[in-house]
Amino acid sequence: MEAVRSAGPLPFVLSRVEKERPEIDATVEEFLLAAEGTELRLEVIPVPGARHGFEAVDHTDPARRAVERAARTVLGHLEVGP
């Protein structure tokens, strides 16, 4: 979490699934709290109805849309640069 606080204005894309395992969800929550008030350019993409590893196991429309949105967002950061 310390790295998040000192990362500066880096872009960061986080897909957050609705049915995350509690132990992982706790660390995601810690990360989000650490990112508050920092320069990190964080975009959280909610994935309704999905579970951890959704991109490989949940072949649903919301999962597909989340993957497409994340890919577009990352590509957008690459095209724009810092």
Side-chain angles (χ1 to χ4, degrees):
M1 298 312 148
E2 189 58 38
V4 172
R5 292 184 192 102
S6 62
L10 294 175
F12 196 97
V13 179
L14 173 69
S15 299
R16 189 164 193 192
V17 296
E18 181 180 1
K19 298 178 181 178
E20 184 60 90
R21 295 185 302 213
E23 64 274 14
I24 294 175
D25 196 49
T27 63
V28 171
E29 196 59 39
E30 285 180 43
F31 173 83
L32 293 173
L33 288 171
E36 284 182 12
T38 69
E39 295 180 77
L40 192 70
R41 295 178 6 229
L42 175 63
E43 180 172 347
V44 178
I45 300 174
V47 192
R51 55 198 157 142
H52 191 84
F54 75 95
E55 66 282 1
V57 296
D58 292 327
H59 302 281
T60 64
D61 287 337
R64 281 194 237 359
R65 284 192 296 272
V67 169
E68 290 168 357
R69 179 176 165 190
R72 279 193 312 273
T73 301
V74 169
L75 289 173
H77 287 301
L78 293 174
E79 290 171 0
V80 173

